[in-house]
Amino acid sequence: EGKPDGEVCVLACADGYEISDAGPVLYTCSGSAYAGPSSGAQFPACTPKNCTSGAPNGRGVAHDCAGAATGGTCTASCSNGYTGNATAFSCAATGELSGTSPTCVPSECRPLSLGEAYRTTACEGKTTGQTCFVDCADGWSLAKKPGTYACAASGDFAGSPPTCLPQPCTEAIPSGADLAVGEDCSSLRTLETCNVSCAD
């Protein structure tokens, strides 16, 4: 605006956009009007620039903002294993994404079921990303070290159980002249059974 007759001005791209062809277009002030190129494009080919900062972040936050360009929008949401409401982000001409990241709450894993030999109480109520130890239940002895389990995004625990050995039974062993006690009762271990009947 306000150029004197004969002066040249450059028609370029606005902030947040970049020229995608040969370069800017020149216009010449001729009298009361501007005269553009006699041939070729009358306006530069401007493409929106990608935003490079301000991406959504936080624990459990996922987004599709990679490649979001000036004037565009994208969505931030909670990844698997987390719950929360999705939010919108917009790409400004400054090259920065603007918006508020969602608050993502880790989900609780389903109960861990391993069998009678294992004690899993330490894993109750664990949420995505948390870990817990599994040891042996009463009547079983731990051979090495407890098993470590992690609450995965799938809602299930991942890990390997410890080695639990059944303990020998040393109390309340059947005895008496009126009983016929099987030999296997003397070496009985947790969850094993033996035969006891009335003597002849």
Short mmCIF file of all heavy atoms in Angstrom, two decimals, residues 49-56 63-75 88-100:
data_model
loop_
_atom_site.label_atom_id
_atom_site.label_comp_id
_atom_site.label_asym_id
_atom_site.label_seq_id
_atom_site.Cartn_x
_atom_site.Cartn_y
_atom_site.Cartn_z
N LYS A 49 2.67 -24.23 6.94
CA LYS A 49 3.81 -24.84 7.62
C LYS A 49 3.33 -25.75 8.75
O LYS A 49 2.31 -25.49 9.38
CB LYS A 49 4.72 -23.76 8.21
CG LYS A 49 5.45 -22.90 7.20
CD LYS A 49 6.33 -21.89 7.94
CE LYS A 49 7.11 -21.02 6.98
NZ LYS A 49 7.96 -20.03 7.71
N ASN A 50 4.12 -26.79 9.00
CA ASN A 50 3.82 -27.69 10.13
C ASN A 50 4.14 -27.01 11.45
O ASN A 50 5.12 -26.27 11.55
CB ASN A 50 4.63 -28.98 10.02
CG ASN A 50 4.13 -29.89 8.91
OD1 ASN A 50 3.05 -29.67 8.36
ND2 ASN A 50 4.91 -30.88 8.58
N CYS A 51 3.32 -27.26 12.44
CA CYS A 51 3.63 -26.79 13.79
C CYS A 51 4.74 -27.66 14.38
O CYS A 51 4.74 -28.89 14.22
CB CYS A 51 2.38 -26.83 14.67
SG CYS A 51 1.40 -25.32 14.59
N THR A 52 5.68 -27.04 15.05
CA THR A 52 6.84 -27.76 15.56
C THR A 52 6.96 -27.74 17.08
O THR A 52 7.90 -28.30 17.64
CB THR A 52 8.13 -27.19 14.95
OG1 THR A 52 8.20 -25.79 15.23
CG2 THR A 52 8.14 -27.40 13.43
N SER A 53 6.04 -27.09 17.77
CA SER A 53 6.13 -27.05 19.23
C SER A 53 4.73 -27.05 19.83
O SER A 53 3.74 -26.85 19.13
CB SER A 53 6.90 -25.80 19.69
OG SER A 53 6.20 -24.62 19.29
N GLY A 54 4.68 -27.29 21.13
CA GLY A 54 3.41 -27.27 21.84
C GLY A 54 2.58 -28.52 21.70
O GLY A 54 1.37 -28.51 21.95
N ALA A 55 3.21 -29.64 21.31
CA ALA A 55 2.46 -30.88 21.14
C ALA A 55 1.88 -31.36 22.48
O ALA A 55 2.44 -31.11 23.54
CB ALA A 55 3.35 -31.97 20.56
N PRO A 56 0.72 -32.04 22.44
CA PRO A 56 0.13 -32.58 23.68
C PRO A 56 1.11 -33.50 24.39
O PRO A 56 1.89 -34.21 23.75
CB PRO A 56 -1.09 -33.35 23.18
CG PRO A 56 -1.40 -32.76 21.85
CD PRO A 56 -0.09 -32.37 21.26
N HIS A 63 -1.73 -38.64 20.65
CA HIS A 63 -2.27 -37.59 19.77
C HIS A 63 -1.95 -37.88 18.31
O HIS A 63 -1.11 -38.72 17.99
CB HIS A 63 -1.70 -36.22 20.18
CG HIS A 63 -0.21 -36.09 20.01
ND1 HIS A 63 0.38 -35.77 18.80
CD2 HIS A 63 0.80 -36.25 20.89
CE1 HIS A 63 1.70 -35.73 18.95
NE2 HIS A 63 1.98 -36.02 20.21
N ASP A 64 -2.66 -37.18 17.44
CA ASP A 64 -2.42 -37.30 16.00
C ASP A 64 -1.95 -35.96 15.43
O ASP A 64 -2.27 -35.60 14.29
CB ASP A 64 -3.69 -37.77 15.29
CG ASP A 64 -4.88 -36.83 15.49
OD1 ASP A 64 -4.73 -35.81 16.19
OD2 ASP A 64 -5.96 -37.12 14.93
N CYS A 65 -1.18 -35.21 16.24
CA CYS A 65 -0.77 -33.86 15.86
C CYS A 65 0.49 -33.81 15.01
O CYS A 65 0.87 -32.72 14.55
CB CYS A 65 -0.58 -33.00 17.12
SG CYS A 65 -2.13 -32.72 18.03
N ALA A 66 1.15 -34.93 14.81
CA ALA A 66 2.33 -34.93 13.94
C ALA A 66 1.87 -34.56 12.53
O ALA A 66 1.00 -35.20 11.96
CB ALA A 66 3.00 -36.30 13.95
N GLY A 67 2.47 -33.51 11.98
CA GLY A 67 2.09 -33.08 10.64
C GLY A 67 0.98 -32.05 10.60
O GLY A 67 0.57 -31.60 9.52
N ALA A 68 0.45 -31.66 11.77
CA ALA A 68 -0.58 -30.62 11.80
C ALA A 68 0.03 -29.30 11.31
O ALA A 68 1.11 -28.91 11.73
CB ALA A 68 -1.13 -30.45 13.20
N ALA A 69 -0.66 -28.63 10.39
CA ALA A 69 -0.13 -27.41 9.78
C ALA A 69 -1.03 -26.22 10.09
O ALA A 69 -2.15 -26.37 10.59
CB ALA A 69 0.02 -27.60 8.28
N THR A 70 -0.52 -25.01 9.77
CA THR A 70 -1.22 -23.76 10.06
C THR A 70 -2.70 -23.82 9.66
O THR A 70 -3.04 -24.17 8.54
CB THR A 70 -0.55 -22.60 9.31
OG1 THR A 70 0.82 -22.52 9.71
CG2 THR A 70 -1.24 -21.28 9.61
N GLY A 71 -3.54 -23.49 10.63
CA GLY A 71 -4.98 -23.51 10.39
C GLY A 71 -5.63 -24.86 10.63
O GLY A 71 -6.86 -24.96 10.65
N GLY A 72 -4.81 -25.88 10.84
CA GLY A 72 -5.34 -27.23 11.04
C GLY A 72 -5.58 -27.54 12.50
O GLY A 72 -5.13 -26.82 13.40
N THR A 73 -6.29 -28.61 12.74
CA THR A 73 -6.56 -29.06 14.10
C THR A 73 -6.17 -30.53 14.24
O THR A 73 -6.01 -31.25 13.25
CB THR A 73 -8.05 -28.90 14.46
OG1 THR A 73 -8.85 -29.67 13.54
CG2 THR A 73 -8.47 -27.45 14.40
N CYS A 74 -6.01 -30.95 15.48
CA CYS A 74 -5.69 -32.35 15.77
C CYS A 74 -6.30 -32.71 17.13
O CYS A 74 -6.82 -31.84 17.84
CB CYS A 74 -4.19 -32.59 15.76
SG CYS A 74 -3.25 -31.52 16.88
N THR A 75 -6.23 -33.98 17.47
CA THR A 75 -6.89 -34.45 18.69
C THR A 75 -5.89 -35.11 19.63
O THR A 75 -5.05 -35.90 19.20
CB THR A 75 -8.00 -35.47 18.32
OG1 THR A 75 -8.94 -34.84 17.45
CG2 THR A 75 -8.72 -35.95 19.57
N ALA A 88 -9.10 -30.97 21.81
CA ALA A 88 -8.69 -30.50 20.48
C ALA A 88 -7.53 -29.52 20.60
O ALA A 88 -7.46 -28.71 21.53
CB ALA A 88 -9.86 -29.84 19.78
N PHE A 89 -6.61 -29.60 19.63
CA PHE A 89 -5.51 -28.66 19.51
C PHE A 89 -5.58 -27.99 18.14
O PHE A 89 -6.08 -28.59 17.18
CB PHE A 89 -4.16 -29.38 19.66
CG PHE A 89 -3.72 -29.57 21.08
CD1 PHE A 89 -4.39 -30.46 21.91
CD2 PHE A 89 -2.63 -28.88 21.59
CE1 PHE A 89 -3.99 -30.64 23.23
CE2 PHE A 89 -2.22 -29.06 22.90
CZ PHE A 89 -2.90 -29.94 23.73
N SER A 90 -5.09 -26.76 18.04
CA SER A 90 -5.06 -26.06 16.76
C SER A 90 -3.64 -25.56 16.50
O SER A 90 -2.90 -25.21 17.43
CB SER A 90 -6.05 -24.89 16.75
OG SER A 90 -5.76 -23.98 17.80
N CYS A 91 -3.29 -25.53 15.22
CA CYS A 91 -1.96 -25.10 14.81
C CYS A 91 -2.01 -23.64 14.40
O CYS A 91 -2.69 -23.27 13.44
CB CYS A 91 -1.47 -25.98 13.66
SG CYS A 91 0.17 -25.52 13.03
N ALA A 92 -1.29 -22.79 15.14
CA ALA A 92 -1.29 -21.35 14.88
C ALA A 92 -0.20 -20.97 13.88
O ALA A 92 0.72 -21.74 13.60
CB ALA A 92 -1.08 -20.59 16.19
N ALA A 93 -0.31 -19.75 13.34
CA ALA A 93 0.68 -19.26 12.36
C ALA A 93 2.06 -19.12 12.97
O ALA A 93 3.07 -19.07 12.25
CB ALA A 93 0.22 -17.92 11.79
N THR A 94 2.15 -19.09 14.29
CA THR A 94 3.44 -18.97 14.97
C THR A 94 4.22 -20.28 14.94
O THR A 94 5.39 -20.33 15.33
CB THR A 94 3.23 -18.57 16.44
OG1 THR A 94 2.40 -19.55 17.07
CG2 THR A 94 2.58 -17.21 16.53
N GLY A 95 3.57 -21.36 14.51
CA GLY A 95 4.23 -22.67 14.48
C GLY A 95 4.05 -23.45 15.76
O GLY A 95 4.67 -24.49 15.96
N GLU A 96 3.17 -22.95 16.63
CA GLU A 96 2.94 -23.62 17.91
C GLU A 96 1.51 -24.15 18.00
O GLU A 96 0.56 -23.48 17.59
CB GLU A 96 3.20 -22.66 19.06
CG GLU A 96 3.10 -23.30 20.43
CD GLU A 96 3.52 -22.36 21.55
OE1 GLU A 96 3.78 -21.17 21.26
OE2 GLU A 96 3.58 -22.80 22.70
N LEU A 97 1.39 -25.36 18.53
CA LEU A 97 0.07 -25.95 18.77
C LEU A 97 -0.49 -25.38 20.07
O LEU A 97 0.24 -25.20 21.05
CB LEU A 97 0.18 -27.47 18.88
CG LEU A 97 0.40 -28.23 17.57
CD1 LEU A 97 0.97 -29.61 17.85
CD2 LEU A 97 -0.89 -28.33 16.77
N SER A 98 -1.78 -25.11 20.07
CA SER A 98 -2.41 -24.60 21.28
C SER A 98 -3.59 -25.49 21.66
O SER A 98 -4.32 -25.97 20.79
CB SER A 98 -2.89 -23.15 21.07
OG SER A 98 -3.85 -23.08 20.03
N GLY A 99 -3.73 -25.72 22.94
CA GLY A 99 -4.78 -26.59 23.46
C GLY A 99 -4.39 -27.09 24.83
O GLY A 99 -3.29 -26.81 25.33
N THR A 100 -5.26 -27.84 25.45
CA THR A 100 -5.01 -28.39 26.79
C THR A 100 -4.98 -29.90 26.72
O THR A 100 -5.94 -30.53 26.23
CB THR A 100 -6.11 -27.95 27.78
OG1 THR A 100 -6.16 -26.51 27.82
CG2 THR A 100 -5.83 -28.48 29.17
#
